């Protein structure tokens, strides 16, 4: 499906623009395909649970036939598979949620901010050989530390006369400014964690590796 859709798109421009625009179109087609093939996962879960509950009630009242027992096993397997899909979808939505509202003034942002603030909070400082958590003492020690580090002096102590700065050779400069080879891009993709996504489009490296041939 991905290959057929990818080859059907007609985009003009350089390679980067073509790839970016095709990924945007592919994302829309994948959403439609997911809706047609998998449907609503939560609805499927409720349907499976309802059917399992009906079979369990029948089992308590008079027992199940062999075909009903097999059906019960199939439903349990389907429920497990459905749960995996819901978990995977939740992970993808969490990543998308961060890209969408991670730095916006939202409830999600403020909860992340509070968690980071608690994690980075300075509980106390070592004063001499004693541990102190008194707020005033902690504040004074922090102030004293930064004053000693950033204290201004009359003599800046910076002399650049005669300093030889390191520079790149022509050979290394050509290597840094050369056009990327396909092999170099491929090696970089294969060295990355497959579950990571290089951008907010949501296509992770496993997806790129699987469809690398086209």
């Amino acid at each position: 499906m991905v290959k057929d859709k990818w080859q059907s798109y007609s985009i003009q421009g350089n390679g980067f623009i073509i790839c970016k625009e095709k990924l945007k179109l592919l994302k829309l087609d994948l959403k439609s395909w997911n809706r047609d093939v998998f449907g609503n996962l939560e609805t499927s879960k409720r349907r499976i649970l309802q059917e399992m509950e009906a079979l369990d009630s029948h089992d308590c009242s008079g027992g199940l036939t062999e075909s009903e027992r097999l059906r019960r096993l199939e439903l349990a397997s389907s429920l497990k598979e459905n749960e995996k899909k819901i978990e995977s979808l939740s992970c993808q939505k969490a990543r998308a949620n961060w890209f969408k509202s991670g730095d916006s003034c939202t409830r999600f942002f403020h909860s992340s901010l509070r968690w980071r603030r608690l994690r980075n909070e300075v509980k106390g400082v070592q004063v001499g050989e004693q541990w102190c958590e008194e707020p005033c003492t902690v504040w004074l020690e922090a102030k004293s530390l930064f004053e000693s580090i950033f204290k201004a002096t009359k003599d800046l102590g910076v002399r650049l006369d005669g300093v030889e700065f390191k520079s790149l050779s022509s050979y290394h400069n050509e290597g840094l400014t050369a056009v990327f080879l396909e092999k170099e891009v491929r090696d970089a993709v294969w060295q990355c964690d497959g579950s990571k996504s290089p951008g907010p489009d949501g296509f992770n490296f496993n997806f790129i590796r699987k469809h690398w041939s086209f």
Side-chain angles (χ1 to χ4, degrees):
M1 176 268 182
V2 174
K3 184 177 181 180
D4 292 340
K5 289 293 183 181
W6 187 268
Q7 294 176 344
S8 69
Y9 303 140
S10 179
I11 308 294
Q12 302 297 323
N14 59 41
F16 177 78
I17 296 297
I18 292 173
C19 183
K20 179 175 72 71
E21 293 301 321
K22 281 190 173 185
L23 284 173
K24 287 168 65 177
L25 294 173
L26 181 62
K27 188 173 184 179
L28 296 174
D29 286 327
L30 281 174
K31 284 184 176 180
S32 300
W33 173 81
N34 179 71
R35 185 170 56 251
D36 296 336
V37 175
F38 296 105
N40 188 297
L41 293 175
E42 291 295 340
T43 302
S44 299
K45 180 180 178 180
R46 286 195 296 270
R47 179 185 56 78
I48 293 171
L49 289 173
Q50 288 172 359
E51 191 173 348
M52 289 178 69
E53 186 178 351
L55 289 172
D56 291 340
S57 299
H58 189 195
D59 189 21
C60 292
S61 60
L64 298 175
T65 64
E66 186 63 26
S67 61
E68 288 175 331
R69 291 186 183 278
L70 290 175
R71 177 57 180 165
R72 179 68 171 73
L73 292 174
E74 290 176 1
L75 288 172
S77 177
S78 298
L79 180 62
K80 186 176 181 180
E81 187 67 27
N82 197 80
E83 291 286 1
K84 287 183 179 179
K85 291 176 182 177
I86 291 176
E87 183 180 357
S88 175
L89 184 61
S90 297
C91 292
Q92 294 178 38
K93 285 184 176 180
R95 183 186 293 119
N97 187 39
W98 173 256
F99 282 115
K100 181 179 179 181
S101 58
D103 292 327
S104 302
C105 189
T106 60
R107 187 175 182 181
F108 175 76
F109 169 75
H110 286 288
S111 63
S112 301
L113 191 64
R114 281 195 299 272
W115 175 80
R116 182 176 296 179
R117 186 176 295 152
L118 289 172
R119 187 185 63 177
N120 295 334
E121 183 180 3
V122 178
K123 302 292 184 181
V125 292
Q126 190 79 21
V127 181
E129 296 184 359
Q130 290 187 343
W131 177 257
C132 181
E133 295 186 6
E134 179 65 30
C136 290
T137 305
V138 173
W139 182 83
L140 288 172
E141 285 296 316
K143 181 173 180 290
S144 176
L145 171 66
F146 283 98
E147 281 181 344
S148 64
I149 295 174
F150 297 108
K151 189 175 182 180
T153 59
K154 292 182 180 179
D155 183 8
L156 296 177
V158 178
R159 297 288 183 272
L160 299 180
D161 298 337
V163 175
E164 293 185 6
F165 292 98
K166 291 183 178 180
S167 59
L168 293 173
S169 64
S170 299
Y171 172 78
H172 288 110
N173 184 57
E174 290 175 3
L176 287 171
T177 57
V179 177
F180 291 116
L181 300 177
E182 182 178 337
K183 182 181 181 304
E184 292 177 307
V185 180
R186 187 185 188 282
D187 290 343
V189 170
W190 257 255
Q191 289 171 10
C192 293
D193 185 347
S195 64
K196 301 297 183 182
S197 175
D201 54 28
F203 293 104
N204 60 27
F205 286 106
N206 278 333
F207 179 89
I208 296 174
R209 292 173 195 169
K210 184 174 182 179
H211 303 292
W212 181 264
S213 60
F214 59 87

